[in-house]
Each structure stands twice: as C-alpha cells, then as structure tokens.
Amino acid sequence: MGIKSGQALITALDEASLSFVAVAETVEDRIHNLPNALGPDAGTLIGASRSLNDLAKRMRAKIRVMQDPGDLGGKSHVLYAGAFSEFRGLRKQLSWMLNASIQYAGNFQDFVGVARTDYKDLDALIDPETK
C-alpha cells in the first residue's frame, strides 16, 4: 500500500470527505417508506458514508506539506502524521461501501423495474474480507 503521489492522496481524502450518497441524504426522513430492506439498507449506506467522510477528514488533518528551500530544489514533500493502520481502515471502509453500493443498486434496479447494471469490472477493487 505505497503512496505514489502525495497530491493524489490529498485529493482522494478531500473527495472521500464528501458524501457518497448526497441525494439519499436529502430524503433521509422518507427512506423508511421504501419496501422490504431498501429503506434500512439506504440508511446503512448513509451511515457508512458519514463514517467514511469522518475518517477521511481526520486523516486529511494529519497531512503536512513541507517545501524544500529554493536552493535545495524547492521540492514539496507530503508527510502523514498518523498510523499506517488508518490507511488499512480507509481501504476496508471504501471496499465495504463499494460492495454494499453495488448490492443496493441491483436491489433498487429490481424494485424500479430496470435492468441490473453489470459491475463485474469493479470486483477486483473489493476486498474479499468485506464481502
């Protein structure tokens, strides 16, 4: 789990700080009206998205960008002042969210009567432990 680009890490954490289910959050008070497990599952995704957002914000706060002096090339370095285990936790949370979102999408597509989308190309991104 190496970090190839400090700026990519910053961008990823900034993106992960945003809601993954913004539209569902706008109707959160009405999701209980969905049939079967669709309502509770939507609530679970909203909660998981908020947990992920919080984790990303906490990790982002631990990043410092240091700049070399100009006479040393002026290169910038991204330093992370947290534990490596936080990256594993972020990866597991992202994997769980992806897996749960794909399952929910299929169930919701069944409910509204549209063909299921094939997400097989994303299977490699899902950690088997989170399935």
Side-chain angles (χ1 to χ4, degrees):
M1 255 200 282
I3 298 169
K4 294 182 181 177
S5 166
Q7 188 55 52
L9 172 62
I10 291 169
T11 300
L13 289 174
D14 287 346
E15 288 291 320
S17 297
L18 304 173
S19 177
F20 281 64
V21 289
V23 174
E25 288 180 328
T26 65
V27 295
E28 184 176 6
D29 60 333
R30 296 190 313 260
I31 62 174
H32 65 276
N33 293 320
L34 289 168
N36 305 324
L38 288 175
D41 288 351
T44 299
L45 285 172
I46 290 170
S49 175
R50 289 178 179 160
S51 293
L52 176 63
N53 301 154
D54 183 65
L55 176 58
K57 287 175 189 171
R58 289 173 187 266
M59 289 179 71
R60 177 65 175 90
K62 295 176 185 177
I63 291 178
R64 301 290 177 260
V65 179
M66 307 297 288
Q67 192 80 26
D68 287 342
D71 59 338
L72 294 177
K75 184 177 179 181
S76 64
H77 304 273
V78 175
L79 306 173
Y80 184 69
F84 181 74
S85 62
E86 292 171 313
F87 286 96
R88 282 192 295 267
L90 179 68
R91 187 176 188 171
K92 284 198 176 293
Q93 184 72 5
L94 285 166
S95 177
W96 186 92
M97 282 284 302
L98 177 60
N99 188 44
S101 297
I102 289 170
Q103 289 178 17
Y104 188 83
N107 293 337
F108 194 80
Q109 288 167 337
D110 290 346
F111 169 64
V112 297
V114 299
R116 281 185 173 233
T117 302
D118 181 9
Y119 294 103
K120 292 284 187 218
D121 56 329
L122 299 177
D123 281 349
L125 300 175
I126 301 173
D127 182 338
E129 290 182 22
T130 61
K131 284 190 173 184

